[in-house]
Amino acid sequence: MIQPSNRKRDSACRPQATTGGGRPRRRRMEKFASLFLTAVLLPAFAVATVGSYALAVWIYQMMAGPPGPPTR
């Protein structure tokens, strides 16, 4: 039985001498990703959440009237 060649898989798993194994680049990309998440995405999600809640309250108050005791 002929076995398939594992050359491609083996070369992908082995660190490459020209790039230093890719470790510094990977660490830099992880730092960039974590900073991007904390500085850009999380504040954007917070603003979107508060904004969508405010829009829902505003639409509800347009239909049901402002909060407070009923007028006489």
Side-chain angles (χ1 to χ4, degrees):
M1 188 154 124
I2 299 174
Q3 296 290 330
S5 174
N6 291 332
R7 180 185 297 170
K8 191 178 223 181
R9 187 179 57 165
D10 289 342
S11 65
C13 295
R14 236 180 290 139
Q16 300 193 4
T18 57
T19 61
R23 295 261 186 222
R25 179 181 166 95
R26 181 176 178 162
R27 186 170 302 245
R28 187 173 6 133
M29 290 303 292
E30 286 178 0
K31 286 181 183 178
F32 174 75
S34 65
L35 285 174
F36 181 74
L37 283 172
T38 57
V40 176
L41 284 183
L42 290 180
F45 284 142
V47 168
T49 302
V50 172
S52 59
Y53 176 73
L55 179 65
V57 169
W58 180 58
I59 291 173
Y60 171 74
Q61 287 182 356
M62 282 191 333
M63 290 186 265
T71 57
R72 290 186 184 179

